[in-house]
Structures are given as C-alpha cells and as structure tokens.
C-alpha cells in the first residue's frame, strides 16, 4: 500500500483551538495541526477488549478472496471478528508497509484504510478482519512492534463496512432532510462520543455558553462548534483525540445544517382511536409554539406538574427549547379541528435519550400517550439509541402504564422522590414508523397516509 493517494485529503479550513490564527487557509491548517499535535498525549484504550459480537465471515472489501502475507489467495477464515483500529506512525517510506506486514503475519485482513496526515506523523485508521481467537491485545502488540503508537482499538460490526465517502454522503442526506438528525449524524460520523447542545439564550438556572468563534475550536478530545442558532455544540470523545480531518468533516456537516435552516418532515398519519375519533400525528417544531401554549392553558395544574416537575407558571418557557429540532424530535397530536391535544418529545441528552409525554386532560385514557410513546421509541431505535428513559413520579400512573405497555425490559430508580424509568431497546418489538408513508396496523387502530 502507498500513501501517494490517501483516502482523506488534508484539511484546508482548520483553525487553532483558540480560533486566533491568522493568514490564509494553509496557514490556519498548519496552525491547527501544530496545536493539535502539541496537545496530544497518550489515550490508551481500556485494558480489556471492548466486547461485541462476532460477525460472520465475509469476503474482502472488493468481493475477492483475501490474500495472505505471501501473496497467495486464501479463503476467509470460518470464524473472524471485525475491529476498528487507529494508530500513529511516522510519515516516512515503509512505515505503513511495516504495519501491513505485521498484521498479515497475524492473519489479519485490512478491509479499509483512511489516513489523517499530521506533518511528520500520520494517523492511520483501519477496518480489520481478524481471526476470532486473536484478541485486541494481540493486535495492539503487533502494531506496536511495527512502530505504531497511541493505538486505539474497538470491536466493529457490519455497518462499518460502508466506505467513508458513502457514509458521509448518507449522513449529509439525513441532515438535509431533518434538522433533528444533526446530533445523530455527528455521533455516527465521529464514533463513540458525547454531544451536548447549549442554546444561545439559556433558560432559568442555566448559564450562557462560552463564546465560540465561527470556525469552531479543536482541543484534543473536545471540539466546539457554533450551533446554527448561535448556541454551542460540544463534542467529547473518551480516549481518542480528534484529528483536524474529523474536525473539518464535523464543521462541514454543521455548516450544511446552518445553510438549510430549520426543517422537519411534514408527513402526517391519521389514527382512529378505539372510540371512533380521528386524530392526526405528525412532527412538530417551533412553528407549533402558539398551539402548544394554548394546550398548556387547557391543561390542569396537576397535569402540567406531573410533566414538568416544577412550578406550573414556568412551563411555557420550556416550550421553545422542547420544540426545537436541534435538541430532539417532537410529535404533535391534533384533532380534526386542528387543536393540539398531545405532545411527545424525544430529547437528545448528551449520550442519553429522554422521552416525555403531555396529553390534555380531556383526551387522557384514550391510548394517545401509548401511541406517542411507541412511535418515539421506534424513532430512538432507528437512530441507534440503546436505551431511553422517562422522568416522572410514581403517582403518574398514565406514564408508568405507557412505559410498561412497551413490553421492554425496564429499570426503575427513585431519585429524591422522582421516578426514572429506563427501557432497553435492543429487545423492542419489530415496528417501523415511517412518517407520512405507507400504512400500519397497530393495536387495533388503523394508521395510514393522509394528504
């Protein structure tokens, strides 16, 4: 293999972590590289392997039988494991060849390779298929013996077999269609990380985010980006520093989102309740703010208290944040006259996911809460979330019943009088919610497209 045509070109838009570098794009990129390298330190992975199942053996990336170290064609092993590995080597002739030879000596196939140039060194990112009995520590030792340093490794799965340009284009498409996809797209782009969004105008009890320059900042394992509405998106990743190339990709995705502006899919479904009433379910955003406030006014103080866990007079201040697609997804239930009678929220909370429901008093006990919750959980599952949690009180029997109605493994915790119910999504029943498309049968209610 050669570095003459690396998978990834050099970032020409990088800036120093403080955002103070001057000069043209090349000068800013060079400053970002030097700043990034100056901050780098050892981020060793956990001592034990990171777990994960064993995917079945498959052909190499080009569909042909993999070649052995000696060049002979051989069949893929009957039992193998996929690994993602990143290591740093000197940017000099023969360095990459030494790594490849060491991996071949262990019977490891290199399925894909990306390079992140850093001046005198290069971060090489591999997708590997290794014999099932070869532990991650064995791979790390082989790479270390061939000159690799700061090596990081974790289990991979079949989704990682998609090449990087195809994956990035797919994430850009998802972001273009739905503003709520931005945090999820960043997480899939950058791997295991925590993403937090802070609005420019904080609510009660929250401090304003620190000012971030328009080009963002990169500092080792933390990057900060200017959010489309002027707030701050913070991305943190344990063990593994971000490279300038990753920083440039994340900035490009945020810039795409900013240029397109607020947007949500506008399809809607009609749901016939058991009593015969028809209601519609669709995505909501800040354009539904006034209708949501009107629903608040029709709700009893007890209903609002159970939902927001605080002073009832403050609830309207949360709505703009809750309805923003930047912080999650909201489903609204409307009657035939257009009145909003229910709201369901799926909120991205760092690397956690919260679900919350509010149904107007006169429309409770009709199955609306359960329908909203099932749809939100289906969305969370499709977004790759492993768990969702709901914060409520033991006296909120409607929410407790709705969570139990999911028929998922639940964990209950009491924290200072507040009940936190966590549902595991890896055992959820098969159900796919496609907003405004197709037709489903669920719980005796007919859900179909409505123009």
């Amino acid at each position: 293999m050669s570095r003459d045509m690396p998978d990834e070109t050099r970032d020409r838009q990088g800036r120093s972590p403080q955002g103070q570098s001057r000069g043209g794009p090349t000068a800013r990129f060079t400053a970002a590289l030097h700043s990034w390298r100056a901050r780098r330190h050892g981020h060793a992975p956990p001592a034990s392997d990171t777990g994960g199942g064993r995917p079945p053996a498959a052909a190499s990336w080009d569909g042909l039988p993999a070649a052995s170290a000696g060049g002979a064609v051989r069949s893929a092993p009957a039992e193998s494991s996929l690994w993602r590995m990143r290591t740093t080597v000197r940017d000099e002739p023969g360095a990459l060849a030494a790594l490849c030879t060491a991996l071949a000596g262990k019977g490891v196939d290199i399925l894909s390779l990306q390079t992140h140039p850093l001046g005198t060194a290069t971060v090489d990112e591999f997708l590997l298929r290794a014999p099932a009995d070869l532990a991650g520590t064995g791979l790390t030792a082989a790479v270390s013996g061939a000159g690799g340093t700061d090596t990081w490794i974790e289990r991979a799965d079949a989704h990682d077999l998609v090449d990087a340009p195809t994956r990035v284009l797919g994430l850009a498409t998802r972001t273009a269609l739905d503003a709520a996809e931005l945090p999820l797209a960043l997480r899939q782009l950058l791997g295991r990380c925590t993403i937090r969004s802070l609005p420019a105008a904080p609510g009660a009890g929250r401090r304003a985010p620190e000012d971030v320059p328009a080009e963002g900042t990169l500092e080792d394992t933390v990057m900060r980006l200017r959010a489309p509405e002027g707030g701050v998106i913070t991305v943190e990743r344990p063990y593994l520093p971000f490279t300038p190339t990753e920083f440039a990709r994340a900035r490009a995705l945020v810039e795409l989102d900013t240029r397109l502006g607020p947007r949500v899919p506008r399809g809607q479904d009609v749901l016939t309740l058991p009593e015969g009433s028809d209601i519609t379910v669709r995505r909501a955003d800040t354009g539904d703010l006034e209708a949501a406030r009107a629903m608040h006014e029709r709700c009893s103080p007890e209903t609002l208290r159970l939902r927001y866990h605080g002073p009832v007079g403050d609830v309207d201040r949360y709505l703009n944040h809750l309805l923003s697609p930047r912080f999650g997804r909201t489903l609204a239930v409307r009657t035939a006259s257009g009145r909003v009678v229910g709201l369901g929220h799926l909120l991205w909370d760092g690397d956690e996911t919260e679900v919350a429901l509010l149904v107007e008093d006169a429309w409770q006990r009709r199955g609306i809460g359960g329908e909203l919750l099932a749809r939100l959980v289906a969305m969370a599952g499709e977004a790759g979330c492993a768990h969702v949690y709901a914060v409520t009180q033991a006296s909120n029997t409607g929410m407790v019943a709705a969570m139990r109605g999911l028929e998922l493994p639940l964990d209950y915790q009491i924290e200072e009088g507040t009940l936190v119910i966590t549902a595991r999504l890896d055992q959820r029943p098969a159900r796919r919610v496609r907003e405004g498309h197709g037709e489903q049968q669920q719980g005796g209610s007919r859900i179909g497209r409505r123009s």
Side-chain angles (χ1 to χ4, degrees), residues 106-236:
K106 294 289 186 180
V108 177
D109 294 334
I110 299 174
L111 303 181
S112 69
L113 166 65
Q114 298 182 61
T115 62
H116 303 256
L118 301 173
T120 60
T122 299
V123 173
D124 291 330
E125 187 171 353
F126 297 91
L127 178 63
L128 306 172
R129 180 186 291 115
D133 57 357
L134 179 61
T137 50
L139 282 169
T140 302
V143 169
S144 177
T149 60
D150 297 329
T151 301
W152 169 89
I153 189 169
E154 73 171 359
R155 295 278 189 177
D157 58 31
H159 296 91
D160 294 303
L161 293 171
V162 179
D163 66 284
T166 301
R167 182 162 53 89
V168 171
L169 286 172
L171 295 177
T173 300
R174 287 176 50 183
T175 302
L177 294 173
D178 187 351
E181 290 287 332
L182 178 61
L184 301 174
L186 287 171
R187 187 178 297 173
Q188 292 192 24
L189 176 69
L190 301 170
R192 182 171 24 177
C193 59
T194 299
I195 299 175
R196 292 184 173 86
S197 296
L198 294 177
R206 297 198 304 267
R207 60 185 180 89
E210 298 178 4
D211 187 37
V212 172
E215 63 271 18
T217 64
L218 170 62
E219 191 170 353
D220 205 32
T221 60
V222 179
M223 67 171 72
R224 292 182 176 85
L225 302 164
R226 179 79 65 83
E229 292 80 14
V232 175
I233 299 173
T234 301
V235 187
E236 300 181 54

Side-chain angles (χ1 to χ4, degrees), residues 227-422:
E229 292 80 14
V232 175
I233 299 173
T234 301
V235 187
E236 300 181 54
R237 184 169 65 187
Y239 307 118
L240 190 62
F242 293 111
T243 67
T245 301
E246 291 176 310
F247 182 49
R249 291 173 179 170
R251 281 177 46 199
L253 203 58
V254 173
E255 183 179 354
L256 170 66
D257 185 272
T258 302
R259 288 180 177 273
L260 293 175
R263 63 216 173 275
V264 296
R266 286 303 181 188
Q268 61 183 22
D269 294 330
V270 60
L271 168 65
T272 302
L273 299 176
E275 66 195 41
S277 301
D278 284 347
I279 55 175
T280 58
V281 182
R282 68 167 178 84
R283 287 281 298 279
D285 61 9
T286 51
D288 299 284
L289 184 59
E290 291 306 317
R293 283 176 175 164
M295 186 188 75
H296 273 180
E297 294 176 358
R298 297 190 300 270
C299 289
S300 68
E302 178 64 11
T303 292
L304 294 177
R305 185 186 65 81
L306 290 174
R307 165 61 185 89
Y308 294 105
H309 322 291
V312 174
D314 295 337
V315 297
D316 282 354
R317 294 192 296 176
Y318 305 136
L319 275 177
N320 195 65
H321 176 87
L322 292 173
L323 293 172
S324 172
R326 307 299 185 188
F327 305 104
R329 298 176 183 171
T330 297
L331 292 176
V333 175
R334 290 179 178 266
T335 64
S337 64
R339 173 183 291 184
V340 172
V341 296
L343 291 172
H345 303 286
L346 186 68
L347 302 170
W348 317 132
D349 179 16
D351 52 1
E352 302 286 337
T353 307
E354 181 182 1
V355 290
L357 303 175
L358 177 64
V359 178
E360 187 177 326
D361 295 63
W363 290 83
Q364 294 176 8
R365 304 295 189 269
R366 301 191 189 188
I368 292 177
E371 179 63 28
L372 282 175
L373 185 60
R375 286 169 172 258
L376 294 172
V377 167
M379 288 181 180
E382 290 181 3
C385 303
H387 306 81
V388 297
Y389 72 91
V391 180
T392 185
Q393 299 177 25
S395 59
N396 190 350
T397 56
M399 188 63 182
V400 174
M403 291 293 288
R404 294 181 62 184
L406 294 172
E407 298 182 354
L408 294 171
L410 301 178
D411 175 64
Y412 299 86
Q413 292 184 347
I414 299 292
E415 300 178 2
E416 298 181 356
T418 299
L419 175 63
V420 180
I421 309 175
T422 303

